[in-house]
Amino acid sequence: MSIESTVLMDMDAPVETSVTMQEYLVFISDELRYVVSAANVIEIITNLSITHMPKVPDYIKGIINLRGQVIPIIDIRLRMYRSPVEYDEECCIIVINMNDVFVGLLVEKVSHVVNIDEENISQPPANKKQELVSGIVNLDNDVYLILDCEKLIQF
Amino acid sequence: MDNAMENMLELYLFETNSMVEQLDEILLNAEKDKTFSSDDVNEIFRIMHTVKGSSAMMQFQTVAGVAHTIEDLFYSIRNNGVDASKLSELFDLMFRCSDFLKLQVEKIQNNEPLNDNIDTIVDEIKSFLETSDEIEEKFHSAAPTADHQGSAGEGEYSIRVFFDEGCGMENLRSFMLVTGIKEVCENFTYYPADVESNNETVQMIMEEGFLINFTNKRDTDAAVNVIKGSLNIRTYEVLEKKPIPAEEYHNDVISGLSAEPKTAAALPKDTPLQNSAAASHPASNKQSLINVNLTKLDKLMDIVAEIVITESMVTSCPDLKGLKLDNFTKSARQLRKLTDELQDIVMSIRMVPVSGVFHKMNRIVRDIGQSLKKDVRLILEGEETEVDKTIVDNIGDPIMHMVRNAMDHGIEITSDDRIAAGKNPQGNIILHAEHTGSEVIIQISDDGRGVNTKKVLAKAAENGLLVKPENEYTQREVLQLLMMPGFSTKSAEEVSEFSGRGVGMDVVKKNIDKVGGTITITSEEGKGTTTTMKIPLTLAIVDGMEIAVGKSIFTIPINNIRQSFKTTKDEIVYDSNRGEMIKRMDNFYPVLRLHELYGLETEVTEIENGIVLWVESGDKSYCLFVDELLGEHQVVVKPLPTYLNSFDVKNSGIVGCTILGDGSISIILDVLYLYESSKSAY
């Protein structure tokens, strides 16, 4: 399955994308490659001062003012129950819009955009509980985890 | 098209709702006077007529059907009067009809399927009609023309209107047109004259157009304006010649030489403004009012808020620091004045009087009074008081609950009980509204039995709502118990149709909380109960005090702050739980340290180094310890992102946020919630 898809990608990707192809934005958090559907991504911002919010879980870093709109920021690392790290210049905020709920995802690094064929998405193994991953894709020998944004904004 | 349709539906709902409300009011007044004046009859007739026309056009046949039967009824009443012995039956019937219409409109609003079975209510009206009087003739048209052929020859101008092909219901559209034209001029005739009741005219109108005859040029021009504003009109032509007698009309259609054809394509007919013109209220004294969609006002409000922020961004721009700019300062001051004015006007646009909500209560008092056999008078005071539209929407239900409670539990069961207590046999419920500075106060008071504190306590104990021994409860705390969820003084078998389900009061409290208000009950046994709701006037822009704790900036509404002062360790006293207190004006107030409560890092932990704010909200008063005061600002309250609401931040004292002049965010604190969260934290 995975080999087939790789071959398919090599031939098709540069030429044209099929109907079931979708663009995904790849970001890195705790050395894992996650993807979110590019259709949901509003913008990627760096260097924005985050206002701390008291009385909310740790993984909510606070709120930001994005051109008059107030957006909460979720630290993906902490949300995935990883240990916190010092953020450097590469880290940034991906602002996504899920059903008119705007949230910013604080990630360590945004790398690139990939095309993923829906057919190549496989379900995460049921026995290993991956709370916020709705699917796994293997492209060019790299594994991408699809972030379940809907689950992310429900809590 | 979808958009146009939605606009039309919205207009229809608005219009029909206000019509039915008007109907209720007329009925209530008429019932009070125990007679229908001819004005009342005409007015009801007109209302039903409009409801019928617009409902039929929107294809809500059930509503149109009922309205049509009522119209028939009042046609008969108009001509033959009504027997005095039948009056009360008629009132009951009419109230049921108005309830039915309300229900249907509500269903349309909620996108639910309409009640198809209108036979019962229609039959009821019809049987009433038959018993009361013989109807000589079925009523056909409300238009002032009885006979088109007789009057058709008098006119000198006529307009022929063609509707869009396949738009359907041409006859009703024609009729709507006639209703519209009737608003601007009186003397005109139209052909076919029985468009409203005769479905066969559809074909005729489709083929030959709808012909309207006028006697002078002025009326014609006015009518053209109405036609321009109407929907689904393909073309129309103004014929300036001897009008065609109806019989010859057939042959003349092709030879309309002096006709001046216009195409509908040139008309901006789909804009909402034109729509509203087409369906505008028939009452001519409302010409100076327009209906505006609330979302547009909200948008306007948002923009004004942005302007206020931007203005402070410009005037307090760091680049200007240290510069002496006389002209700039002058212009900035002027700008400030204008934005203040703009803000005031936008706020005032959203203000509506509470009278609408108040008047609805008349109906509730009447209905409950009848079924419980209680004679109660509702007195309205200060109904012209204006409040923000969102507040009006939110206080309707709470007031209704309170009035129901007063009717059901407050007022004595029989008038004998009242006489025995030395009161007027007729009970009084007073609805009162007034402004006090930044708040609007709404009071519902009755002169009934009052609250029996012993019964309340016993009930609360039974439901396990008590948190301390019964004898420690003060009168005030007992009354607060009434608003606990799940509290109802009535036992299950006593639950009445109108109240006593035990959901009333806590829902009232929740609704009032939602608009940032407070609710208190005072009561004296045997004398009556008064419920007071205090609601902040405007929700969007407040004067706030910026305070700093560590790296965070918070805003506290100025009107919650009584005093700010420096203090020393010596002034702090401790209560039995090691809680800190400070004495101000002969009273001790607890001290709350914001940095401890929110777990913020700060270097200011000694009471001498920071500053203490004495704050007050509702019945809570305490001192808040913060690092420093940054200054006073007018801030625009922005709601917190919906995502954060799921973490219940409001209950930890965070009610919103605001964007400061430099683009950073400040969190707005609610003094009352802050205190309550501190109580639960310790």
Side-chain angles (χ1 to χ4, degrees):
Chain A
M1 180 72 190
S2 63
I3 296 164
E4 255 179 44
S5 72
T6 315
V7 174
L8 255 175
M9 276 304 293
D10 283 339
M11 295 195 304
D12 282 356
V15 192
E16 60 176 82
T17 52
S18 76
V19 195
T20 52
M21 280 292 198
Q22 266 202 316
E23 288 191 324
Y24 284 82
L25 179 71
V26 181
F27 66 86
I28 293 161
S29 172
D30 198 34
E31 289 159 13
L32 290 170
R33 285 187 199 82
Y34 291 94
V35 291
V36 284
S37 172
N40 293 331
V41 175
I42 305 293
E43 64 182 295
I44 299 163
I45 40 181
T46 51
N47 268 331
L48 226 114
S49 70
I50 300 174
T51 306
H52 172 75
M53 278 288 286
K55 293 273 174 180
V56 287
D58 273 353
Y59 60 81
I60 294 176
K61 294 303 272 187
I63 45 183
I64 59 163
N65 165 21
L66 184 66
R67 291 183 300 279
Q69 198 175 12
V70 178
I71 295 169
I73 303 300
I74 302 172
D75 186 328
I76 291 296
R77 241 189 115 89
L78 296 180
R79 184 69 186 82
M80 300 293 185
Y81 310 109
R82 312 284 170 199
S83 54
V85 287
E86 235 359 87
Y87 283 106
D88 55 18
E89 278 160 14
E90 276 197 314
C91 84
C92 49
I93 295 166
I94 306 170
V95 180
I96 59 165
N97 171 8
M98 282 302 294
N99 314 323
D100 285 336
V101 176
F102 288 82
V103 289
L105 312 176
L106 183 61
V107 301
E108 280 148 63
K109 188 182 168 188
V110 169
S111 72
H112 61 292
V113 173
V114 290
N115 284 311
I116 296 176
D117 194 329
E118 267 178 37
E119 286 175 14
N120 294 337
I121 299 174
S122 44
Q123 291 300 309
N127 57 349
K128 200 172 167 242
K129 201 177 165 240
Q130 291 271 16
E131 198 198 353
L132 290 167
V133 174
S134 63
I136 296 174
V137 185
N138 200 331
L139 281 183
D140 303 332
N141 296 325
D142 282 334
V143 175
Y144 299 95
L145 306 169
I146 298 174
L147 190 71
D148 191 341
C149 295
E150 270 184 59
K151 248 200 203 129
L152 185 74
I153 56 168
Q154 299 161 357
F155 57 107
Chain B
M1 183 58 205
D2 268 345
N3 202 9
M5 198 62 201
E6 220 158 82
N7 269 325
M8 265 176 75
L9 183 64
E10 218 162 84
L11 264 166
Y12 167 79
L13 288 171
F14 173 78
E15 192 188 58
T16 313
N17 268 327
S18 55
M19 287 278 175
V20 176
E21 259 165 45
Q22 215 178 334
L23 172 70
D24 253 6
E25 208 155 301
I26 296 169
L27 289 175
L28 282 166
N29 284 332
E31 195 184 40
K32 223 176 264 167
D33 302 341
K34 299 205 166 48
T35 177
F36 274 114
S37 71
S38 66
D39 276 355
D40 291 343
V41 174
N42 283 334
E43 193 64 19
I44 295 176
F45 186 74
R46 189 185 66 71
I47 290 172
M48 281 306 132
H49 197 67
T50 315
V51 170
K52 177 179 79 171
S54 49
S55 303
M57 178 143 162
M58 297 299 290
Q59 292 186 311
F60 299 128
Q61 299 304 346
T62 56
V63 182
V66 173
H68 181 74
T69 334
I70 302 173
E71 195 187 332
D72 279 349
L73 173 66
F74 274 82
Y75 180 71
S76 145
I77 292 173
R78 186 161 72 172
N79 288 353
N80 311 318
V82 63
D83 195 13
S85 62
K86 290 271 178 194
L87 259 180
S88 74
E89 196 187 319
L90 175 64
F91 280 123
D92 277 345
L93 179 66
M94 283 312 295
F95 278 122
R96 272 208 303 280
C97 291
S98 105
D99 282 347
F100 176 83
L101 291 177
K102 266 185 232 163
L103 195 74
Q104 297 297 309
V105 173
E106 206 172 297
K107 278 187 180 166
I108 296 169
Q109 213 156 358
N110 298 339
N111 243 333
E112 288 168 25
L114 287 181
N115 202 344
D116 280 332
N117 188 8
I118 57 167
D119 292 347
T120 34
I121 194 138
V122 167
D123 284 347
E124 261 180 75
I125 302 170
K126 280 197 174 136
S127 70
F128 179 83
L129 198 59
E130 275 154 24
T131 54
S132 65
D133 247 317
E134 291 225 354
I135 325 150
E136 292 122 46
E137 206 186 342
K138 191 91 174 141
F139 174 72
H140 280 311
S141 158
T145 62
D147 183 3
H148 64 268
Q149 288 176 347
S151 48
E154 291 162 20
E156 282 163 12
Y157 300 88
S158 40
I159 304 176
R160 193 184 302 149
V161 181
F162 288 93
F163 291 96
D164 282 348
E165 261 171 65
C167 65
M169 294 178 297
E170 283 79 1
N171 57 335
L172 287 167
R173 287 181 204 280
S174 309
F175 180 68
M176 292 297 285
L177 210 54
V178 169
T179 321
I181 294 171
K182 224 182 277 171
E183 275 171 48
V184 291
C185 58
E186 280 175 6
N187 287 323
F188 69 98
T189 61
Y190 51 88
Y191 177 80
D194 53 352
V195 276
E196 175 205 7
S197 48
N198 186 354
N199 279 334
E200 285 156 26
T201 53
V202 171
Q203 198 62 26
M204 219 187 289
I205 295 169
M206 259 160 68
E207 283 165 10
E208 295 159 14
F210 181 61
L211 190 74
I212 311 164
N213 298 322
F214 297 90
T215 50
N216 61 49
K217 180 105 175 71
R218 196 183 56 82
D219 282 355
T220 317
D221 290 344
V224 166
N225 278 332
V226 173
I227 294 170
K228 271 187 194 166
S230 299
L231 281 173
N232 291 99
I233 289 176
R234 181 160 47 106
T235 62
Y236 66 90
E237 42 195 26
V238 180
L239 306 160
E240 251 188 72
K241 59 174 185 179
K242 198 180 169 300
I244 324 142
E247 294 88 342
E248 294 167 27
Y249 173 55
H250 249 297
N251 311 328
D252 268 20
V253 171
I254 312 138
S255 62
L257 283 176
S258 59
E260 173 194 328
K262 281 192 181 179
T263 54
L267 305 174
K269 55 170 185 161
D270 273 345
T271 64
L273 205 74
Q274 299 280 351
N275 280 348
S276 65
S280 80
H281 218 265
S284 54
N285 58 349
K286 290 195 175 174
Q287 291 287 324
S288 60
L289 298 179
I290 56 162
N291 305 326
V292 183
N293 196 321
L294 194 62
T295 52
K296 278 192 194 165
L297 282 186
D298 286 343
K299 247 182 220 157
L300 181 64
M301 183 83 134
D302 285 349
I303 290 177
V304 170
E306 291 292 314
I307 291 176
V308 171
I309 295 170
T310 316
E311 184 227 69
S312 72
M313 266 183 191
V314 171
T315 50
S316 61
C317 178
D319 296 355
L320 299 171
K321 279 235 169 85
L323 295 178
K324 197 167 174 295
L325 304 161
D326 279 350
N327 285 326
F328 177 83
T329 320
K330 218 161 129 193
S331 313
R333 209 178 297 136
Q334 178 74 6
L335 179 65
R336 172 72 190 237
K337 206 175 135 233
L338 287 174
T339 47
D340 277 0
E341 213 168 298
L342 180 65
Q343 194 186 314
D344 283 351
I345 288 175
V346 172
M347 295 287 191
S348 73
I349 290 176
R350 297 172 50 94
M351 298 294 249
V352 288
V354 291
S355 59
V357 176
F358 274 24
H359 278 265
K360 275 188 195 155
M361 299 308 135
N362 270 318
R363 179 68 200 280
I364 286 159
V365 169
R366 175 205 173 267
D367 283 359
I368 303 179
Q370 282 216 330
S371 75
L372 296 179
K373 305 269 181 302
K374 287 182 183 178
D375 183 14
V376 178
R377 190 162 54 126
L378 180 71
I379 301 163
L380 304 180
E381 291 175 356
E383 54 181 296
E384 69 287 340
T385 308
E386 288 189 329
V387 293
D388 193 280
K389 171 84 176 125
T390 43
I391 294 180
V392 167
D393 292 344
N394 275 300
I395 59 172
D397 282 351
I399 292 180
M400 194 168 74
H401 271 295
M402 298 312 305
V403 170
R404 278 180 179 166
N405 269 339
M407 283 298 292
D408 202 9
H409 309 306
I411 302 291
E412 288 84 350
I413 294 162
T414 64
S415 52
D416 292 344
D417 290 349
R418 290 185 62 86
I419 294 166
K423 295 186 212 172
N424 187 332
Q426 189 182 41
N428 280 325
I429 293 178
I430 302 169
L431 261 182
H432 176 90
E434 67 173 318
H435 281 310
T436 57
S438 61
E439 284 176 324
V440 61
I441 295 181
I442 293 170
Q443 265 181 338
I444 299 123
S445 32
D446 64 69
D447 61 350
R449 290 177 289 193
V451 175
N452 185 330
T453 45
K454 278 196 191 111
K455 270 193 192 164
V456 172
L457 275 176
K459 184 74 193 174
E462 197 180 299
N463 290 356
L465 296 172
L466 296 185
V467 289
K468 56 182 179 182
E470 271 182 41
N471 49 11
E472 277 180 27
Y473 274 88
T474 62
Q475 160 94 2
R476 192 174 175 155
E477 284 169 323
V478 171
L479 293 171
Q480 292 289 336
L481 284 174
L482 292 173
M483 284 181 281
M484 302 266 281
F487 181 90
S488 177
T489 47
K490 294 224 164 188
S491 52
E493 61 265 33
E494 267 183 284
V495 166
S496 72
E497 184 189 342
F498 303 109
S499 53
R501 281 178 299 266
V503 288
M505 288 306 289
D506 62 307
V507 171
V508 169
K509 191 168 188 303
K510 264 197 200 120
N511 265 328
I512 298 298
D513 282 350
K514 214 160 75 186
V515 289
T518 57
I519 180 166
T520 49
I521 302 176
T522 55
S523 174
E524 197 173 332
E525 202 172 344
K527 293 238 174 94
T529 310
T530 301
T531 312
T532 309
M533 310 182 201
K534 284 188 190 171
I535 300 157
L537 262 187
T538 45
L539 302 162
I541 299 182
V542 296
D543 282 321
M545 178 66 80
E546 303 291 328
I547 54 162
V549 177
K551 279 184 217 146
S552 301
I553 297 172
F554 298 95
T555 301
I556 294 175
I558 289 274
N559 51 19
N560 286 134
I561 301 176
R562 285 190 65 173
Q563 223 178 44
S564 60
F565 53 90
K566 284 266 183 189
T567 188
T568 58
K569 248 183 203 147
D570 304 338
E571 283 187 57
I572 302 266
V573 290
Y574 294 93
D575 65 12
S576 55
N577 298 327
R578 295 296 296 162
E580 294 172 313
M581 293 194 298
I582 291 183
K583 188 176 179 185
R584 297 308 284 184
M585 303 204 182
D586 292 335
N587 263 320
F588 286 96
Y589 296 100
V591 176
L592 230 152
R593 291 174 182 240
L594 197 58
H595 69 95
E596 279 177 12
L597 189 63
Y598 282 167
L600 301 168
E601 271 177 39
T602 173
E603 285 162 6
V604 185
T605 52
E606 295 300 319
I607 201 99
E608 283 93 353
N609 299 335
I611 193 156
V612 179
L613 292 175
W614 180 12
V615 291
E616 194 172 53
S617 172
D619 53 353
K620 297 282 186 297
S621 190
Y622 61 96
C623 294
L624 194 65
F625 175 68
V626 300
D627 292 9
E628 59 173 326
L629 298 183
L630 297 177
E632 188 190 332
H633 283 288
Q634 203 171 43
V635 298
V636 180
V637 181
K638 284 190 176 276
L640 288 169
T642 39
Y643 175 72
L644 291 179
N645 285 341
S646 47
F647 299 106
D648 208 18
V649 284
K650 190 180 177 193
N651 280 330
S652 46
I654 299 166
V655 285
C657 54
T658 182
I659 293 167
L660 300 177
D662 62 357
S664 64
I665 299 176
S666 164
I667 291 165
I668 300 174
L669 299 180
D670 181 291
V671 170
L672 190 65
Y673 282 105
L674 192 65
Y675 185 75
E676 274 163 13
S677 84
S678 75
K679 285 282 264 267
S680 57
Y682 293 137

